[in-house]
Coordinates of all heavy atoms in Angstrom, one line a residue:
T945 N -8.8 -15.5 147.5 CA -7.6 -14.9 147.8 C -6.8 -15.6 148.9 O -7.4 -15.9 150.0 CB -7.8 -13.5 148.1 OG1 -8.4 -12.8 147.0 CG2 -6.3 -12.8 148.4
G946 N -5.5 -16.0 148.7 CA -4.8 -16.5 149.8 C -5.0 -18.1 149.9 O -4.4 -18.6 150.8
K947 N -5.8 -18.7 149.1 CA -6.1 -20.1 149.1 C -5.3 -20.8 147.9 O -5.1 -20.3 146.9 CB -7.5 -20.4 148.9 CG -8.5 -20.1 150.1 CD -9.8 -20.6 149.8 CE -10.7 -20.3 151.0 NZ -12.1 -20.5 150.5
I948 N -4.9 -22.0 148.2 CA -4.3 -22.8 147.2 C -5.3 -24.0 147.0 O -5.7 -24.7 147.9 CB -2.9 -23.4 147.6 CG1 -1.9 -22.2 147.8 CG2 -2.4 -24.4 146.6 CD1 -0.6 -22.6 148.3
V949 N -5.7 -24.2 145.8 CA -6.6 -25.2 145.4 C -6.1 -26.3 144.5 O -5.4 -25.8 143.5 CB -7.9 -24.6 144.8 CG1 -9.0 -25.7 144.5 CG2 -8.6 -23.6 145.8
S950 N -6.1 -27.5 144.7 CA -5.7 -28.6 143.9 C -6.9 -29.2 143.1 O -7.9 -29.5 143.8 CB -4.9 -29.5 144.6 OG -3.7 -28.9 145.2
I951 N -6.6 -29.5 141.9 CA -7.6 -30.4 141.2 C -6.9 -31.7 140.9 O -5.9 -31.7 140.2 CB -8.0 -29.7 139.8 CG1 -8.5 -28.3 140.0 CG2 -8.9 -30.5 139.0 CD1 -8.5 -27.4 138.7
I952 N -7.5 -32.7 141.4 CA -7.0 -34.0 141.4 C -7.9 -34.9 140.7 O -9.2 -34.8 140.8 CB -6.7 -34.6 142.8 CG1 -5.8 -33.7 143.6 CG2 -6.2 -35.9 142.8 CD1 -5.6 -33.9 145.1
G953 N -7.3 -35.8 139.8 CA -8.3 -36.8 139.1 C -7.5 -37.5 138.1 O -6.2 -37.3 137.8
Q954 N -8.1 -38.7 137.7 CA -7.3 -39.5 136.8 C -7.0 -39.1 135.5 O -7.6 -38.0 135.1 CB -8.2 -40.9 136.7 CG -9.5 -40.6 135.9 CD -10.5 -41.8 135.7 OE1 -10.4 -42.6 136.6 NE2 -11.3 -41.7 134.7
S955 N -6.0 -39.7 135.0 CA -5.5 -39.2 133.5 C -6.8 -39.3 132.6 O -7.4 -40.2 132.5 CB -4.5 -40.1 133.1 OG -3.9 -39.6 131.9
G956 N -7.0 -38.1 131.8 CA -8.0 -38.1 131.0 C -9.4 -37.6 131.6 O -10.4 -37.6 131.0
G957 N -9.3 -37.3 132.9 CA -10.5 -36.9 133.6 C -10.9 -35.5 133.3 O -12.0 -35.1 133.7
G958 N -10.1 -34.7 132.7 CA -10.5 -33.4 132.2 C -9.9 -32.2 133.0 O -10.3 -31.1 132.9
K959 N -8.8 -32.4 133.8 CA -8.1 -31.3 134.5 C -7.6 -30.3 133.5 O -7.8 -29.1 133.6 CB -7.0 -31.8 135.3 CG -7.3 -32.9 136.3 CD -6.2 -33.5 137.2 CE -5.2 -34.2 136.5 NZ -5.7 -35.5 135.7
T960 N -6.8 -30.7 132.5 CA -6.3 -29.7 131.6 C -7.4 -29.0 130.7 O -7.3 -27.9 130.5 CB -5.2 -30.4 130.6 OG1 -4.1 -31.1 131.3 CG2 -4.7 -29.6 129.4
T961 N -8.4 -29.8 130.4 CA -9.5 -29.2 129.7 C -10.2 -28.1 130.4 O -10.5 -27.0 130.0 CB -10.5 -30.3 129.2 OG1 -9.8 -31.4 128.6 CG2 -11.6 -29.8 128.4
L962 N -10.3 -28.3 131.9 CA -10.9 -27.3 132.7 C -10.1 -26.1 132.6 O -10.6 -25.0 132.5 CB -11.0 -27.9 134.1 CG -11.4 -26.8 135.2 CD1 -12.8 -26.4 135.0 CD2 -11.3 -27.5 136.6
M963 N -8.7 -26.2 132.8 CA -7.7 -25.1 132.8 C -7.9 -24.3 131.5 O -7.9 -23.1 131.4 CB -6.4 -25.5 133.1 CG -6.2 -26.1 134.4 SD -6.8 -25.1 135.8 CE -5.9 -23.5 135.6
R964 N -8.0 -25.0 130.3 CA -8.0 -24.3 129.1 C -9.4 -23.6 128.9 O -9.4 -22.6 128.3 CB -8.0 -25.5 127.8 CG -6.5 -26.0 127.8 CD -6.5 -27.1 126.9 NE -6.9 -26.8 125.5 CZ -6.2 -26.1 124.5 NH1 -4.9 -25.9 124.9 NH2 -6.7 -25.7 123.5
C965 N -10.5 -24.1 129.6 CA -11.8 -23.4 129.5 C -11.7 -22.2 130.4 O -12.2 -21.2 129.9 CB -12.9 -24.4 130.1 SG -13.3 -25.7 129.0
V966 N -11.0 -22.2 131.4 CA -10.8 -20.9 132.3 C -10.2 -19.9 131.4 O -10.4 -18.6 131.7 CB -10.2 -21.3 133.6 CG1 -9.9 -20.1 134.4 CG2 -11.0 -22.2 134.5
N967 N -9.3 -20.2 130.5 CA -8.6 -19.2 129.8 C -9.3 -19.0 128.5 O -8.8 -18.2 127.6 CB -7.1 -19.7 129.4 CG -6.0 -19.1 130.3 OD1 -6.2 -17.9 130.6 ND2 -5.1 -19.8 130.8
L968 N -10.3 -19.7 128.2 CA -11.1 -19.7 126.8 C -10.2 -20.1 125.8 O -10.4 -19.6 124.6 CB -11.7 -18.3 126.7 CG -13.0 -18.1 127.7 CD1 -13.5 -16.6 127.4 CD2 -14.0 -19.0 127.4
L969 N -9.3 -21.1 126.1 CA -8.6 -21.6 124.9 C -9.4 -22.7 124.3 O -9.2 -23.2 123.3 CB -7.2 -22.2 125.4 CG -6.2 -21.3 125.9 CD1 -5.0 -21.9 126.6 CD2 -5.7 -20.3 124.7
E970 N -10.3 -23.3 125.1 CA -11.4 -24.2 124.8 C -12.6 -23.7 125.1 O -12.9 -23.0 126.1 CB -11.0 -25.5 125.6 CG -11.6 -26.8 125.2 CD -10.7 -27.4 124.1 OE1 -9.5 -27.8 124.5 OE2 -11.1 -27.6 122.9
R971 N -13.6 -24.0 124.2 CA -15.0 -23.5 124.4 C -15.9 -24.6 124.5 O -16.1 -25.4 123.7 CB -15.4 -22.5 123.3 CG -14.5 -21.3 123.3 CD -14.6 -20.4 122.1 NE -13.5 -19.5 122.3 CZ -13.4 -18.3 121.7 NH1 -14.3 -18.0 120.7 NH2 -12.3 -17.6 121.8
P972 N -16.5 -24.7 125.8 CA -17.5 -25.8 126.0 C -18.8 -25.7 125.1 O -19.1 -24.6 124.7 CB -17.7 -25.7 127.5 CG -17.5 -24.2 127.8 CD -16.4 -23.7 126.9
D973 N -19.4 -26.9 125.0 CA -20.7 -26.9 124.3 C -21.8 -26.3 125.1 O -22.7 -25.8 124.5 CB -21.1 -28.4 123.9 CG -20.1 -28.9 123.0 OD1 -19.6 -28.3 122.0 OD2 -19.7 -30.1 123.2
Q974 N -21.6 -26.3 126.4 CA -22.7 -25.8 127.3 C -22.2 -25.4 128.6 O -21.0 -25.8 128.9 CB -24.0 -26.8 127.3 CG -23.5 -28.2 127.8 CD -24.7 -29.2 127.8 OE1 -25.8 -28.8 128.5 NE2 -24.6 -30.2 127.0
G975 N -23.0 -24.9 129.5 CA -22.6 -24.5 130.8 C -22.2 -23.0 130.8 O -22.2 -22.4 129.9
T976 N -21.9 -22.6 132.0 CA -21.4 -21.3 132.4 C -20.1 -21.3 133.0 O -19.8 -22.2 133.9 CB -22.4 -20.6 133.3 OG1 -23.7 -20.7 132.7 CG2 -22.2 -19.2 133.6
I977 N -19.2 -20.4 132.6 CA -17.9 -20.2 133.3 C -17.7 -18.8 134.0 O -18.0 -17.9 133.2 CB -16.6 -20.5 132.4 CG1 -16.7 -21.8 131.7 CG2 -15.5 -20.3 133.2 CD1 -15.8 -22.1 130.6
T978 N -17.5 -18.8 135.3 CA -17.3 -17.5 135.9 C -16.0 -17.4 136.5 O -15.5 -18.4 137.3 CB -18.4 -17.4 137.0 OG1 -19.7 -17.5 136.5 CG2 -18.3 -16.1 137.7
V979 N -15.2 -16.4 136.3 CA -13.9 -16.2 136.9 C -14.0 -14.9 137.8 O -14.4 -13.9 137.3 CB -12.8 -16.0 135.8 CG1 -11.5 -15.7 136.5 CG2 -12.7 -17.1 135.0
G980 N -13.9 -15.1 139.0 CA -14.1 -14.0 140.1 C -15.6 -13.7 139.9 O -16.4 -14.6 140.1
D981 N -15.8 -12.4 139.7 CA -17.3 -12.0 139.5 C -17.7 -11.8 138.1 O -18.7 -11.3 137.8 CB -17.6 -10.7 140.4 CG -16.6 -9.6 140.0 OD1 -15.9 -9.7 139.1 OD2 -16.6 -8.6 140.7
E982 N -16.8 -12.3 137.2 CA -17.2 -12.1 135.8 C -17.6 -13.4 135.1 O -16.8 -14.4 135.1 CB -15.9 -11.5 135.0 CG -16.2 -11.1 133.6 CD -15.1 -10.6 132.9 OE1 -13.9 -10.6 133.3 OE2 -15.2 -10.3 131.6
T983 N -18.8 -13.4 134.5 CA -19.1 -14.5 133.7 C -18.5 -14.3 132.4 O -18.7 -13.4 131.6 CB -20.7 -14.6 133.5 OG1 -21.2 -14.7 134.8 CG2 -21.2 -15.7 132.6
I984 N -17.6 -15.3 132.0 CA -16.8 -15.2 130.7 C -17.4 -16.0 129.6 O -17.0 -15.9 128.5 CB -15.3 -15.6 131.0 CG1 -15.3 -17.1 131.6 CG2 -14.7 -14.6 132.0 CD1 -13.8 -17.6 131.4
F985 N -18.3 -17.1 130.0 CA -18.9 -17.9 129.0 C -20.3 -18.3 129.5 O -20.4 -18.8 130.6 CB -18.0 -19.2 128.8 CG -18.5 -20.0 127.6 CD1 -17.9 -19.8 126.4 CD2 -19.5 -21.0 127.8 CE1 -18.3 -20.5 125.3 CE2 -19.9 -21.8 126.7 CZ -19.3 -21.6 125.4
A986 N -21.3 -18.2 128.6 CA -22.7 -18.4 129.0 C -23.5 -18.7 127.7 O -23.3 -18.2 126.6 CB -23.3 -17.4 129.8
D987 N -24.4 -19.7 127.7 CA -25.3 -20.0 126.6 C -24.6 -20.2 125.4 O -25.0 -19.8 124.3 CB -26.3 -18.8 126.4 CG -27.1 -18.5 127.7 OD1 -27.5 -19.5 128.4 OD2 -27.4 -17.3 128.0
G988 N -23.5 -21.0 125.5 CA -22.7 -21.4 124.2 C -22.0 -20.3 123.6 O -21.4 -20.4 122.5
E989 N -21.9 -19.0 124.3 CA -21.2 -17.9 123.6 C -20.2 -17.4 124.7 O -20.3 -17.4 125.8 CB -22.1 -16.8 123.5 CG -23.4 -17.1 122.5 CD -23.0 -16.9 121.1 OE1 -22.0 -16.4 120.8 OE2 -23.8 -17.5 120.2
V990 N -19.1 -16.9 124.1 CA -18.1 -16.1 124.9 C -18.7 -14.8 125.4 O -19.2 -14.0 124.6 CB -16.8 -15.9 124.1 CG1 -15.9 -14.9 124.9 CG2 -16.1 -17.1 123.8
A991 N -18.7 -14.6 126.7 CA -19.3 -13.5 127.3 C -18.3 -12.4 127.8 O -18.6 -11.4 128.2 CB -20.2 -13.8 128.5
C992 N -17.0 -12.9 127.7 CA -15.8 -12.0 128.2 C -15.7 -10.9 127.2 O -15.5 -11.1 126.1 CB -14.7 -12.9 128.3 SG -13.2 -12.1 128.8
R993 N -15.7 -9.7 127.7 CA -15.5 -8.6 126.8 C -14.0 -8.3 126.5 O -13.7 -7.7 125.5 CB -16.1 -7.3 127.6 CG -17.5 -7.1 127.2 CD -18.2 -5.9 127.9 NE -18.9 -6.4 129.2 CZ -18.6 -5.9 130.3 NH1 -17.7 -5.0 130.6 NH2 -19.3 -6.4 131.4
N994 N -13.1 -8.7 127.4 CA -11.6 -8.5 127.0 C -10.8 -9.7 127.3 O -10.4 -9.9 128.5 CB -11.2 -7.3 127.9 CG -9.8 -6.7 127.6 OD1 -9.0 -7.5 127.0 ND2 -9.6 -5.5 127.8
L995 N -10.6 -10.5 126.3 CA -10.0 -11.8 126.4 C -8.6 -11.6 126.9 O -8.1 -12.4 127.8 CB -10.0 -12.4 125.0 CG -10.0 -14.0 124.8 CD1 -11.2 -14.5 125.7 CD2 -10.2 -14.4 123.5
A996 N -7.9 -10.6 126.3 CA -6.4 -10.4 126.7 C -6.4 -10.1 128.1 O -5.5 -10.5 128.8 CB -5.9 -9.2 125.8
K997 N -7.3 -9.3 128.7 CA -7.2 -9.0 130.2 C -7.5 -10.2 131.0 O -6.9 -10.3 131.9 CB -8.3 -7.8 130.3 CG -8.0 -7.1 131.6 CD -8.9 -5.8 131.7 CE -8.4 -5.0 132.9 NZ -9.1 -3.8 133.0
L998 N -8.4 -11.0 130.5 CA -8.7 -12.2 131.2 C -7.5 -13.1 131.4 O -7.1 -13.5 132.4 CB -9.8 -13.0 130.5 CG -10.1 -14.4 131.0 CD1 -10.8 -14.4 132.5 CD2 -10.8 -15.3 130.1
R999 N -6.8 -13.3 130.2 CA -5.6 -14.1 130.2 C -4.4 -13.5 131.0 O -3.5 -14.2 131.4 CB -5.2 -14.4 128.7 CG -6.2 -15.2 128.1 CD -6.1 -15.5 126.6 NE -7.0 -16.5 126.1 CZ -7.3 -16.6 124.9 NH1 -6.7 -15.8 123.9 NH2 -8.2 -17.4 124.4
Q1000 N -4.5 -12.2 131.2 CA -3.4 -11.6 132.0 C -3.7 -11.9 133.5 O -2.8 -11.8 134.3 CB -3.5 -10.1 131.9 CG -2.8 -9.7 130.5 CD -3.1 -8.2 130.2 OE1 -3.8 -7.4 131.0 NE2 -2.8 -7.8 129.0
R1001 N -4.9 -12.3 133.9 CA -5.4 -12.6 135.2 C -5.1 -14.0 135.5 O -5.1 -14.4 136.6 CB -6.8 -12.2 135.5 CG -7.2 -10.8 135.5 CD -8.6 -10.5 135.7 NE -9.1 -11.2 136.9 CZ -10.4 -11.4 137.1 NH1 -11.3 -11.3 136.3 NH2 -10.8 -11.9 138.2
V1002 N -5.0 -14.9 134.5 CA -4.9 -16.3 134.7 C -3.6 -16.9 134.2 O -3.6 -17.1 133.0 CB -6.2 -17.0 134.0 CG1 -6.2 -18.5 134.3 CG2 -7.5 -16.4 134.5
G1003 N -2.7 -17.0 135.1 CA -1.4 -17.6 134.7 C -1.5 -19.1 134.4 O -2.1 -19.8 135.3
M1004 N -0.8 -19.6 133.4 CA -1.0 -21.1 133.2 C 0.2 -21.7 132.6 O 0.9 -21.0 131.8 CB -2.2 -21.3 132.1 CG -2.4 -22.6 131.8 SD -4.0 -22.8 130.7 CE -3.8 -24.5 130.2
V1005 N 0.7 -22.7 133.2 CA 1.9 -23.4 132.7 C 1.3 -24.5 131.9 O 0.6 -25.5 132.4 CB 2.9 -23.7 133.8 CG1 3.9 -24.7 133.3 CG2 3.5 -22.5 134.4
F1006 N 1.6 -24.8 130.7 CA 1.1 -25.9 129.9 C 1.9 -27.1 130.2 O 3.0 -27.2 130.6 CB 1.2 -25.5 128.4 CG 0.3 -24.4 127.9 CD1 0.8 -23.2 127.9 CD2 -1.0 -24.8 127.5 CE1 -0.2 -22.2 127.6 CE2 -1.9 -23.8 127.2 CZ -1.5 -22.5 127.2
Q1007 N 1.0 -28.3 130.2 CA 1.5 -29.7 130.5 C 2.7 -30.0 129.8 O 3.7 -30.5 130.3 CB 0.4 -30.5 130.4 CG 0.7 -31.9 131.1 CD -0.8 -32.6 131.3 OE1 -1.7 -32.2 131.0 NE2 -0.5 -33.9 131.9
R1008 N 2.7 -29.8 128.5 CA 3.7 -30.4 127.7 C 4.6 -29.4 127.1 O 5.3 -29.5 126.1 CB 3.2 -31.3 126.6 CG 2.6 -32.6 127.1 CD 2.1 -33.5 126.0 NE 1.6 -34.7 126.7 CZ 0.5 -34.8 127.1 NH1 -0.5 -33.9 127.0 NH2 0.0 -36.0 127.6
F1009 N 4.6 -28.1 127.6 CA 5.5 -27.1 127.2 C 6.7 -26.9 128.2 O 6.5 -27.1 129.4 CB 4.7 -25.8 127.2 CG 3.8 -25.6 125.9 CD1 2.9 -26.6 125.5 CD2 4.1 -24.5 125.2 CE1 2.1 -26.4 124.5 CE2 3.2 -24.3 124.0 CZ 2.2 -25.3 123.6
N1010 N 7.8 -26.6 127.7 CA 9.0 -26.5 128.4 C 8.9 -25.2 129.3 O 8.6 -24.2 128.8 CB 10.3 -26.4 127.6 CG 10.5 -27.8 126.9 OD1 10.3 -28.8 127.5 ND2 11.1 -27.7 125.7
L1011 N 9.3 -25.4 130.5 CA 9.5 -24.3 131.4 C 10.9 -23.6 131.1 O 11.8 -24.2 130.5 CB 9.5 -24.7 132.9 CG 8.2 -25.3 133.4 CD1 8.3 -25.8 134.7 CD2 7.0 -24.3 133.2
F1012 N 10.9 -22.2 131.4 CA 12.3 -21.6 131.2 C 13.2 -22.2 132.3 O 12.9 -21.9 133.5 CB 12.1 -20.1 131.3 CG 11.6 -19.7 130.0 CD1 10.1 -19.1 130.0 CD2 12.1 -19.6 128.9 CE1 9.5 -18.6 128.9 CE2 11.5 -19.1 127.7 CZ 10.1 -18.6 127.7
P1013 N 14.3 -22.8 132.0 CA 15.1 -23.5 133.1 C 15.8 -22.4 133.9 O 16.2 -22.8 135.0 CB 16.1 -24.3 132.3 CG 16.1 -23.7 130.9 CD 14.7 -23.1 130.7
H1014 N 16.1 -21.2 133.5 CA 16.7 -20.2 134.2 C 15.8 -19.4 135.2 O 16.3 -18.7 135.9 CB 17.4 -19.2 133.3 CG 16.5 -18.4 132.4 ND1 15.7 -19.0 131.4 CD2 16.1 -17.0 132.4 CE1 15.0 -18.0 130.8 NE2 15.1 -16.8 131.5
L1015 N 14.5 -19.7 135.1 CA 13.6 -19.1 136.0 C 13.1 -20.2 137.0 O 13.0 -21.3 136.7 CB 12.4 -18.6 135.2 CG 12.6 -17.5 134.2 CD1 11.4 -17.0 133.5 CD2 13.4 -16.3 134.9
R1016 N 12.6 -19.5 138.3 CA 12.0 -20.5 139.2 C 10.6 -20.8 138.8 O 10.1 -20.2 137.9 CB 12.0 -19.7 140.5 CG 13.4 -19.5 141.1 CD 13.4 -18.8 142.5 NE 12.8 -17.4 142.3 CZ 11.8 -16.9 143.1 NH1 11.4 -17.5 144.1 NH2 11.4 -15.6 142.8
A1017 N 10.0 -21.7 139.5 CA 8.7 -22.2 139.0 C 7.7 -21.0 139.1 O 6.9 -20.8 138.2 CB 8.2 -23.3 140.0
V1018 N 7.8 -20.3 140.1 CA 6.8 -19.1 140.4 C 7.1 -18.0 139.3 O 6.1 -17.4 138.8 CB 6.9 -18.5 141.7 CG1 8.2 -17.7 142.0 CG2 5.8 -17.6 142.0
E1019 N 8.3 -17.9 138.8 CA 8.7 -16.9 137.9 C 8.1 -17.3 136.5 O 7.8 -16.5 135.7 CB 10.1 -16.7 137.8 CG 10.8 -15.9 139.0 CD 12.3 -15.9 139.1 OE1 12.8 -16.9 138.5 OE2 12.8 -15.1 139.7
N1020 N 8.2 -18.6 136.2 CA 7.5 -19.1 134.9 C 6.0 -18.8 135.0 O 5.4 -18.4 133.9 CB 7.6 -20.6 134.8 CG 9.0 -21.0 134.3 OD1 9.0 -21.0 133.0 ND2 10.0 -21.3 135.0
V1021 N 5.4 -19.0 136.1 CA 3.8 -18.8 136.2 C 3.6 -17.3 136.0 O 2.6 -17.0 135.4 CB 3.4 -19.3 137.6 CG1 1.9 -19.0 137.7 CG2 3.5 -20.8 137.7
V1022 N 4.3 -16.4 136.6 CA 3.9 -14.9 136.5 C 4.5 -14.2 135.3 O 4.3 -13.0 135.2 CB 4.3 -14.2 137.9 CG1 3.6 -14.9 139.0 CG2 5.8 -14.2 138.0
L1023 N 5.2 -14.9 134.5 CA 5.8 -14.4 133.3 C 4.9 -13.4 132.5 O 5.2 -12.4 132.2 CB 6.4 -15.4 132.4 CG 7.6 -14.9 131.5 CD1 8.8 -14.5 132.3 CD2 8.0 -16.2 130.7
A1024 N 3.6 -14.0 132.2 CA 2.7 -13.3 131.3 C 2.3 -12.0 132.0 O 2.1 -11.0 131.4 CB 1.5 -14.3 131.0
Q1025 N 1.9 -12.2 133.2 CA 1.4 -11.0 134.0 C 2.4 -9.9 134.0 O 2.1 -8.7 133.8 CB 1.0 -11.4 135.4 CG -0.3 -12.0 135.5 CD -0.1 -13.6 135.3 OE1 0.8 -14.0 134.9 NE2 -1.2 -14.2 135.8
M1026 N 3.7 -10.3 134.2 CA 4.7 -9.3 134.3 C 5.1 -8.6 132.9 O 5.3 -7.4 132.8 CB 6.0 -9.9 135.1 CG 5.9 -10.2 136.4 SD 7.3 -10.9 137.2 CE 8.5 -9.6 136.8
H1027 N 5.2 -9.3 131.9 CA 5.6 -8.9 130.7 C 4.6 -8.4 129.7 O 4.7 -7.5 129.0 CB 6.6 -9.9 129.9 CG 7.8 -10.1 130.7 ND1 9.0 -9.3 130.6 CD2 8.2 -11.0 131.8 CE1 9.9 -9.6 131.4 NE2 9.5 -10.7 132.1
A1028 N 3.3 -9.1 129.7 CA 2.2 -8.7 128.9 C 1.5 -7.6 129.6 O 1.1 -6.5 128.9 CB 1.4 -9.9 128.6
A1029 N 1.3 -7.7 130.9 CA 0.3 -6.7 131.5 C 1.2 -5.6 132.3 O 0.6 -4.7 132.8 CB -0.5 -7.4 132.6
G1030 N 2.5 -5.8 132.4 CA 3.4 -4.9 133.1 C 3.2 -4.8 134.5 O 3.4 -3.7 135.2
I1031 N 2.7 -5.8 135.1 CA 2.5 -6.0 136.6 C 3.8 -6.2 137.3 O 4.5 -7.0 136.8 CB 1.4 -7.0 136.9 CG1 0.1 -6.6 136.3 CG2 1.3 -7.1 138.4 CD1 -1.0 -7.6 136.4
G1032 N 4.1 -5.6 138.3 CA 5.4 -5.8 139.1 C 5.4 -7.2 139.7 O 4.3 -7.8 139.9
E1033 N 6.6 -7.6 140.0 CA 6.7 -9.1 140.3 C 5.9 -9.3 141.7 O 5.3 -10.3 141.8 CB 8.2 -9.4 140.5 CG 8.3 -10.9 141.0 CD 9.8 -11.4 141.0 OE1 10.7 -10.5 140.9 OE2 10.0 -12.6 141.3
R1034 N 6.1 -8.5 142.6 CA 5.5 -8.7 144.0 C 4.0 -8.7 143.8 O 3.4 -9.8 144.3 CB 5.8 -7.4 144.9 CG 5.2 -7.8 146.4 CD 5.6 -6.6 147.2 NE 7.0 -6.5 147.6 CZ 7.5 -5.7 148.4 NH1 6.7 -4.8 149.1 NH2 8.7 -5.6 148.6
E1035 N 3.3 -7.9 142.9 CA 1.9 -8.1 142.9 C 1.4 -9.2 142.0 O 0.5 -9.9 142.3 CB 1.4 -6.8 142.1 CG -0.2 -6.6 142.1 CD -0.7 -5.5 141.2 OE1 0.1 -4.6 140.8 OE2 -1.8 -5.6 140.9
A1036 N 2.3 -9.7 141.0 CA 2.1 -10.8 140.1 C 2.1 -12.0 140.9 O 1.2 -13.0 140.8 CB 2.9 -10.7 138.9
V1037 N 3.1 -12.2 141.8 CA 3.1 -13.4 142.6 C 2.0 -13.4 143.7 O 1.4 -14.4 143.9 CB 4.6 -13.5 143.3 CG1 4.6 -14.6 144.3 CG2 5.6 -13.5 142.3
Ligands
LIG327 N1 -12.4 -30.2 122.7 C1 -12.6 -31.4 123.1 N2 -13.6 -32.2 122.7 C2 -13.8 -33.4 123.1 N3 -13.0 -34.1 124.0 C3 -11.9 -33.5 124.4 C4 -11.8 -32.1 123.9 N4 -10.6 -31.6 124.6 C5 -10.2 -32.7 125.3 N5 -10.9 -33.8 125.2 C6 -10.9 -35.0 125.9 O1 -11.2 -34.8 127.2 C7 -10.5 -35.8 128.0 C8 -9.8 -35.1 129.2 O2 -8.5 -34.7 128.8 P1 -7.6 -33.8 129.7 O3 -6.2 -33.7 128.9 O4 -8.2 -32.6 130.1 O5 -7.4 -34.7 130.9 P2 -6.3 -34.5 132.3 O6 -7.2 -34.6 133.5 O7 -5.6 -33.3 132.1 O8 -5.3 -35.8 132.0 P3 -3.8 -36.0 132.5 O9 -3.8 -36.3 133.9 O10 -3.4 -37.1 131.6 O11 -3.1 -34.7 132.1 C9 -9.6 -36.5 127.0 O12 -10.2 -37.8 126.7 C10 -9.4 -35.7 125.8 O13 -9.2 -36.4 124.7
LIG328 MG1 -3.6 -32.8 131.8

């Protein structure tokens, strides 16, 4: 909480793949993924009980998807939390 973390690496290094794994849009062949205190993937299986709820917690802007030009960057990021989960703007940001 309160930290900003950057993932830096060469093109093709796996940054986007990592983000897709955190949302379970991509499922790894092995390893464990933990988000906060919840293990969402382990032993080759999805361990997350509520996929929709997980995705409401993890805002993601896709690399090759257009942002909404009428919204600020932060508003694009919190769009899913505000509209899908009904979380207020202040809490979502
Ligand atoms: N499901 C998959 N199985 C095998 N390889 C994959 C899979 N998904 C992605 N890759 C490969 O993993 C590599 C990492 O790609 P990725 O797009 O995550 O890199 P990136 O760090 O985001 O690169 P860029 O800086 O260009 O955006 C690429 O070679 C990609 O083709
Ligand atoms: Mg990428």
